[in-house]
Amino acid sequence: MKVKSIGLIGLGMVAGVAASLQFSAIAQKTPGGAPLPLDELRQLADVYGLIKTDYVEPVEDKKLLSEAITGMVASLDPHSVYLDKKAYREMKESMQGRFVGLGIEVAMEDGYVKIVTPIEDSPAFRAGVKAGDLITRIDNTPIKGMSLDEAIKKMRGAPKSRVVLTIARKGEDKPWIVPLLREEIRVQSVKAKMVEPGYAWIRISQFQEQTVEDMAKKVSALYAQDPKIKGIVLDLRNDPGGLLPGAIGVSAAFLPHDKEIVSTVGQIADQNQTFYGRREFYSQRSNSDPLAKLPASLKTVPMIVLVNTGSASASEIVAGALQDYKRAIIMGSQTFGKGSVQTLRQLTADTAVKLTTARYYTPEGRSIQAKGIVPDMLVDETAEGDGANSLRVREADLEKHLSDGSGKDAKTQVKTRRDELEEEQRAASFARSRKPLEFGSKDDFQLAQALNHFKGLPVKLAVADSKLDKDDTKDVPDALPAAPPELKKDVKKDVKK
């Protein structure tokens, strides 16, 4: 059986997943040559036999084996899952930027489904569902006791079909009942416009197969509109990740040719790789280079990258690379912290396992896993504070999350429970009082602060900026100069293989 693999680095929890796989593919020895644990396998066979003979009612073989495989893979970390025919098809559709569902990125927490990020312009987003919300029931069926795969499967369905979510929100006394209609979600990967004369805004909402090509077209159109762009804001807020080639290509567009973008370190040799800003790493669908005709000034134009707690995985790769080379100032809130690579191992023509196979590292050898990218300039979501962003779940909050590989837990700010409750209540109260933020609009506070920095005007920093550990911050210039074409800074690599 030929096994194919596709590198995935997104949160990857939009499509429903279940399991159905035959045990016939199990070999006599593990890939590393060590013998299989026969005693444990006998116990598994014994339990299987007991269920078949003694359980109160008959159970299908397929169900038992499928659930065993599902549980085995799901026990590893929050991002490893087994995909049956339906789930595998939905996964491929989501990589192409389209799928049927509610439009939410989710994770499991304390037995409930927690919203990581609502996707822009989706049914959930329009209904006011926010990051940090807990789904406690689906069509009045309690979530408690379900696997994440089962919960996601219940939220998927035919277009225009109805589903009712019961949501618990921090700071609210009563649950919130939300009726939603499923629809085909088409994620527009790249948006771009001139927000002011001389200043461009490029938003990437998700890294898909066509992201690099789409961004190149949008950038070319911006330069046709204004050949003398003075500053670019790359907006990666609420970008949950996606495909690795997209992250490499976006980074390469703003960096000199052939610079290292990211490296991965895992157990097997093909996961210990370094990826560079070359066409073969970001554009394998054609022989042409989508970045070849972009203006040379794109490599040096002053640049700010906006991130928040919803920025994960591929977006963290881009932010980390541009930060390491001092190519751009990173502004906003600390990112999600998903620094692991999921590889889609195709088992049959229509089934696969999405398995965590490596950690990724920035050009300076920094692991992002369970920590994230700390902005050069911490700026709250609004002038009044960080709002709902402060309620978001992060990788380090997820049950069974992978460590950063250093043997140490990710640093967290020590707070008392009273501090946490007061902060949650303030943020929840604020979130209830306003509509979902439209990124790139005239009311976008963080974007306004980015434009202020370009112009040398005062920037309103978050109060927490003064409390950051000095080791977590980068030197931030008073003004934002253009990056030198050669980026002479030597980037040191200290990844322990």
Side-chain angles (χ1 to χ4, degrees):
M1 177 174 59
K2 184 177 180 182
V3 178
K4 299 179 181 179
S5 63
I6 303 172
L8 299 169
I9 50 178
L11 289 174
M13 295 184 182
V14 204
V17 289
S20 58
L21 182 67
Q22 302 294 328
F23 272 140
S24 60
I26 294 181
Q28 294 301 309
K29 289 188 176 182
T30 60
L36 288 169
L38 296 181
D39 289 343
E40 285 77 8
L41 287 175
R42 287 191 186 98
Q43 290 180 25
L44 177 62
D46 289 343
V47 172
Y48 173 83
L50 283 171
I51 294 173
K52 292 293 293 181
T53 59
D54 294 10
Y55 188 64
V56 65
E57 58 186 25
V59 184
E60 293 183 358
D61 292 338
K62 184 177 181 180
K63 173 179 173 59
L64 285 176
L65 297 176
S66 297
E67 294 298 334
I69 298 168
T70 300
M72 180 169 56
V73 177
S75 70
L76 301 173
D77 67 82
H79 309 297
S80 293
V81 295
Y82 184 76
L83 307 174
D84 67 358
K85 183 176 180 179
K86 180 174 182 290
Y88 182 51
R89 182 182 67 250
E90 292 170 346
M91 171 67 74
K92 291 191 292 185
E93 289 175 351
S94 69
M95 288 189 291
Q96 296 167 353
R98 49 183 289 270
F99 58 92
V100 175
L102 305 178
I104 47 177
E105 300 279 350
V106 296
M108 189 63 81
E109 180 180 285
D110 297 330
Y112 298 107
V113 174
K114 190 164 189 174
I115 308 296
V116 175
T117 302
I119 297 173
E120 292 179 45
D121 302 324
S122 67
F125 181 87
R126 293 193 296 269
V129 174
K130 294 181 172 63
D133 287 347
L134 288 176
I135 301 175
T136 60
R137 289 174 177 261
I138 301 173
D139 288 331
N140 209 34
T141 301
I143 290 288
K144 200 76 170 179
M146 284 189 198
S147 68
L148 181 61
D149 303 346
E150 292 171 326
I152 293 173
K153 196 170 184 178
K154 285 185 173 294
M155 289 187 281
R156 303 302 297 268
K160 304 298 182 182
S161 60
R162 186 173 182 267
V163 61
V164 178
L165 302 183
T166 303
I167 290 178
R169 177 171 292 171
K170 291 181 180 179
E172 297 278 3
D173 296 330
K174 297 181 180 180
W176 178 33
I177 309 299
V178 190
L180 297 169
L181 291 180
R182 300 177 180 95
E183 64 182 49
E184 183 175 18
I185 308 297
R186 290 183 176 270
V187 180
Q188 185 178 349
S189 179
V190 184
K191 299 178 182 178
K193 64 181 179 180
M194 300 299 296
V195 289
E196 287 187 12
Y199 298 104
W201 173 77
I202 302 170
R203 169 149 180 78
I204 300 178
S205 58
Q206 191 179 54
F207 289 86
Q208 304 167 358
E209 291 177 352
Q210 72 276 16
T211 294
V212 178
E213 290 85 350
D214 286 353
M215 189 193 74
K217 292 177 183 177
K218 296 285 176 57
V219 168
S220 296
L222 290 176
Y223 271 89
Q225 184 178 346
D226 186 350
K228 296 181 179 180
I229 292 177
K230 296 182 290 184
I232 289 178
V233 176
L234 178 62
D235 192 345
L236 302 179
R237 291 171 294 177
N238 286 4
D239 183 332
L243 297 177
L244 178 58
I248 296 171
V250 170
S251 302
F254 301 101
L255 293 170
H257 179 69
D258 212 25
K259 285 291 181 181
E260 177 183 333
I261 306 299
V262 68
S263 61
T264 60
V265 179
Q267 271 203 91
I268 56 178
D270 69 356
Q271 291 299 323
N272 297 324
Q273 302 182 57
T274 301
F275 300 87
Y276 298 91
R278 300 197 294 260
R279 186 199 62 80
E280 59 263 33
F281 289 106
Y282 59 77
S283 181
Q284 301 174 349
R285 294 194 300 168
S286 65
N287 294 325
S288 61
D289 185 351
L291 305 182
K293 296 182 180 179
L294 289 176
S297 61
L298 192 65
K299 305 286 188 183
T300 59
V301 63
M303 187 176 180
I304 289 176
V305 179
L306 293 179
V307 296
N308 66 2
T309 312
S311 305
S313 214
S315 52
E316 293 175 294
I317 285 180
V318 175
L322 296 176
Q323 186 180 55
D324 277 3
Y325 288 112
K326 298 189 183 298
R327 173 61 186 91
I329 282 180
I330 312 301
M331 180 181 290
S333 306
Q334 188 170 350
T335 60
F336 183 83
K338 185 183 176 297
S340 61
V341 180
Q342 277 64 54
T343 301
L344 200 63
R345 300 289 189 185
Q346 189 170 340
L347 301 175
T348 67
D350 49 19
T351 63
V353 171
K354 182 162 69 73
L355 196 66
T356 298
T357 54
R359 294 178 178 87
Y360 64 77
Y361 295 82
T362 71
E364 283 189 345
R366 293 185 292 149
S367 173
I368 300 170
Q369 175 60 23
K371 180 176 181 180
I373 296 295
V374 178
D376 301 309
M377 303 180 73
L378 279 177
V379 175
D380 286 335
E381 191 174 86
T382 72
E384 292 78 21
D386 216 19
N389 190 58
S390 63
L391 296 177
R392 292 179 185 273
V393 64
R394 298 184 65 248
E395 176 77 10
D397 300 322
L398 300 181
E399 187 178 356
K400 301 175 187 175
H401 72 269
L402 194 67
S403 71
D404 65 0
S406 67
K408 300 178 181 179
D409 291 333
K411 285 192 297 184
T412 55
Q413 185 177 354
V414 177
K415 294 182 180 179
T416 67
R417 183 58 185 150
R418 180 176 178 180
D419 289 338
E420 291 176 344
L421 288 172
E422 289 178 351
E423 180 179 303
E424 289 171 0
Q425 289 171 357
R426 285 195 302 270
S429 175
F430 177 79
R432 291 194 300 270
S433 67
R434 71 176 184 89
K435 297 179 180 179
L437 173 65
E438 181 184 350
F439 294 136
S441 70
K442 61 181 178 61
D443 299 321
D444 189 337
F445 177 75
Q446 289 173 322
L447 175 59
Q449 301 313 297
L451 295 176
N452 284 347
H453 193 69
F454 279 137
K455 301 171 185 176
L457 299 174
V459 173
K460 184 176 180 180
L461 299 177
V463 175
D465 202 2
S466 61
K467 300 178 182 178
L468 273 182
D469 191 311
K470 292 182 179 179
D471 293 336
D472 286 342
T473 59
K474 298 278 183 179
D475 293 331
V476 183
D478 294 331
L480 187 63
E486 68 279 8
L487 280 174
K488 294 180 180 179
K489 176 178 179 288
D490 292 326
V491 178
K492 295 180 180 180
K493 191 105 166 79
D494 60 358
V495 176
K496 294 182 179 179
K497 302 280 184 180

